[in-house]
Amino acid sequence: MSSTAAGQPTDSDQVALSQAPEREAAAQRARDLFVDAYGYEPDGVWSAPGRVNIIGEHVDYQDGLCLPMAISHRCFVAAARTPMNLLRLRSAQSEQVLEIDSHDLSPENVTGWPAYVAGVLWALRPFISGSTTQGMDLLIDGQVPLGSGLSSSAALECAAAEAMESLLSLGTTPLERVKAAISAETDFAGASTGGLDQSASVLSREGHALFLDCRDFSTRPVPWDLASQDLALLITDTRAEHSHVDGEYAARRADSETAARTLDVPTLRDLADLGEEQALARLDGIEDEVVRRRAHHIITEIHRVRRFDDLLAAGTVREHVDELGALLNASHDSLRDDYEVTVAPLDVAVDTARAAGAYGARMTGGGFGGSTIALIEADAAQQVAQAIASAFAEHGFTAAQFFLALPEEGAGQDR
Ligand code: ADP
Ligand code: MG
């Protein structure tokens, strides 16, 4: 192995490609860590995956359509019910621990990562009968990289919700656990989330993507048989960060609301539902060129998700791989040109993946940094990752990190 002084990989390096450890072994590791931490055996181990959005970006706040999938990297929670009401939390990924009387939980008195877990118990309260004690010990062991846009936060919340459902015999539905996880993140931890992450983490099925209609939060699994077709998604975490992300997001939302108001529709989804051609023709009624382009992205993106979904319903991924790839490419180009949420590392990762043989590639997540995905032959992952790493070194970007993703099962009990 060789690398430059800056630690950037050079052509002769084998780029590290992170594949999640085998699930059974990972669950055992969480169990062992629990025993080390608390000195006794847990009642069980539960886990929930991170996610990646395949297509349908920056459409959620206009009631649009998204198509996320659960990835192989999961967060594991080994847990046990204890007498009384003491809640104890530890994580293999953090030094910070929490010990609190569960009756004292409030958004004001829990900070840091434990808020994502304590918040779930807090949000599940309506399902806990008054006489039930809420004491438990939890040990978290997450594989989803923190803060890479693969939603380690939702994986953490959803795994915790699964453990609490079992330990306290709550009788919640998966959708109720999704909502508790969303509430934990927004109302308790004070972070903002649209809900796509938690839906994907709980409701995804192995070998499937999750069609999510943001108008009513209805979902259904869609066949996305990458593994059986020897295809895969290469995720590239560009490690790029933009300093004004929040302001940029707010501006995009405001533009999309202006567009809807100008065209006198409740949301751009309502416009998209008229059919793509008719909806796009209506955009001529928007005088502001920037606002018009923002709306153009949202209308075309909603129709790309519809087309993607239709193709997946009509046959294997392999049969339609060229058109699916073209839709991914068109999504990225629209986010770059119409929506203007890409930055150079995202564009370089995407362009390089395409040149290295990917069927299609796009940024995923909110943009201004974060990750890209590329639809590739499974056995080409190393080569495509290598090409991106070299391109990043040439541009002097921070070294990227690579993950191989296949569509996995949502949250559940491991052992
Ligand atoms: P993302 O969800 O994209 O990874 P977020 O900023 O939404 O990024 O969530 C990351 C946060 O979630 C971390 O800063 C930490 O507070 C919490 N977190 C996620 N996984 C773990 C873990 N295994 N242990 C402790 N905290 C975690
Ligand atoms: Mg998150």
Side-chain angles (χ1 to χ4, degrees):
M1 297 272 281
S2 64
S3 57
T4 61
Q8 292 277 7
T10 61
D11 280 347
S12 58
D13 276 328
Q14 269 279 87
V15 166
L17 196 59
S18 167
Q19 276 175 279
E22 203 253 322
R23 189 166 162 184
E24 176 81 25
Q28 180 62 47
R29 183 181 123 119
R31 178 173 275 271
D32 294 344
L33 288 169
F34 183 101
V35 174
D36 289 347
Y38 296 110
Y40 69 100
E41 286 284 333
D43 294 340
V45 180
W46 294 263
S47 68
R51 64 91 191 96
V52 70
N53 194 21
I54 304 165
I55 194 162
E57 213 66 78
H58 276 289
V59 295
D60 53 345
Y61 43 80
Q62 285 294 325
D63 280 2
L65 307 170
C66 316
L67 204 64
M69 70 175 221
I71 59 173
S72 319
H73 295 71
R74 304 178 78 83
C75 182
F76 290 82
V77 175
R81 185 111 182 249
T82 56
M84 316 302 282
N85 283 303
L86 185 64
L87 175 67
R88 296 198 293 181
L89 305 180
R90 288 169 183 271
S91 165
Q93 283 72 50
S94 172
E95 298 277 293
Q96 189 187 355
V97 300
L98 178 73
E99 293 197 9
I100 190 168
D101 186 310
S102 57
H103 291 129
D104 294 338
L105 290 178
S106 78
E108 293 75 41
N109 61 12
V110 183
T111 55
W113 76 264
Y116 292 93
V117 178
V120 176
L121 184 59
W122 175 82
L124 286 171
R125 275 195 182 154
F127 301 97
I128 305 174
S129 83
S131 58
T132 308
T133 57
Q134 298 165 29
M136 55 188 110
D137 289 340
L138 272 70
L139 184 287
I140 314 300
D141 189 20
Q143 307 167 336
V144 186
L146 275 55
S148 287
L150 301 181
S151 210
S152 68
S153 61
L156 174 60
E157 295 145 11
C158 297
E162 222 55 33
M164 291 168 190
E165 158 62 31
S166 286
L167 290 179
L168 302 176
S169 306
L170 300 176
T172 56
T173 63
L175 193 57
E176 285 166 340
R177 295 196 287 285
V178 168
K179 288 182 177 160
I182 295 171
S183 174
E185 184 147 343
T186 51
D187 306 327
F188 199 89
S192 75
T193 170
L196 172 141
D197 304 354
Q198 293 80 3
S199 300
S201 184
V202 172
L203 303 171
S204 291
R205 291 287 154 265
E206 189 181 351
H208 291 75
L210 189 75
F211 184 92
L212 171 64
D213 186 335
C214 300
R215 176 183 277 166
D216 57 8
F217 261 74
S218 60
T219 58
R220 60 180 160 75
V222 185
W224 175 236
D225 52 346
L226 295 184
S228 66
Q229 303 296 312
D230 299 317
L231 294 162
L233 277 191
L234 176 71
I235 301 172
T236 302
D237 177 6
T238 64
R239 315 299 292 168
E241 255 182 69
H242 191 279
S243 45
H244 305 297
V245 181
D246 290 348
E248 297 280 7
Y249 286 175
R252 295 302 178 282
R253 276 184 95 120
D255 286 346
S256 70
E257 283 157 19
T258 302
R261 211 170 35 246
T262 307
L263 298 175
D264 201 22
V265 286
T267 66
L268 294 177
R269 164 66 179 285
D270 297 287
L271 190 62
D273 282 351
L274 298 176
E276 187 166 17
E277 221 172 296
Q278 209 181 328
L280 291 178
R282 290 275 304 274
L283 298 189
D284 292 342
I286 303 174
E287 231 167 83
D288 186 317
E289 189 264 338
V290 172
V291 173
R292 195 164 59 233
R293 273 193 287 123
R294 305 295 190 240
H296 188 268
H297 164 73
I298 292 174
I299 300 295
T300 56
E301 185 77 352
I302 289 172
H303 282 281
R304 279 185 288 271
V305 176
R306 285 222 183 277
R307 180 72 190 148
F308 209 95
D309 179 45
D310 287 346
L311 289 172
L312 295 186
T316 64
V317 176
R318 175 67 69 185
E319 283 172 73
H320 300 292
V321 72
D322 290 321
E323 191 178 349
L324 292 167
L327 288 166
L328 297 178
N329 288 340
S331 171
H332 182 85
D333 296 353
S334 175
L335 288 157
R336 183 191 60 212
D337 302 334
D338 278 345
Y339 224 63
E340 297 180 277
V341 293
T342 70
V343 287
L346 290 171
D347 293 331
V348 168
V350 162
D351 291 345
T352 308
R354 291 175 186 171
Y359 292 104
R362 60 179 288 270
M363 57 157 271
T364 181
F368 301 107
S371 296
T372 65
I373 54 168
L375 178 59
I376 56 168
E377 294 292 336
D379 62 10
Q382 192 68 50
Q383 176 212 326
V384 178
Q386 187 65 58
I388 296 171
S390 299
F392 270 45
E394 269 164 38
H395 282 84
F397 298 155
T398 304
Q401 287 180 359
F402 301 97
F403 306 89
L404 201 58
L406 290 170
E408 298 290 346
E409 187 72 15
Q413 180 155 14
D414 285 83
R415 46 183 31 239

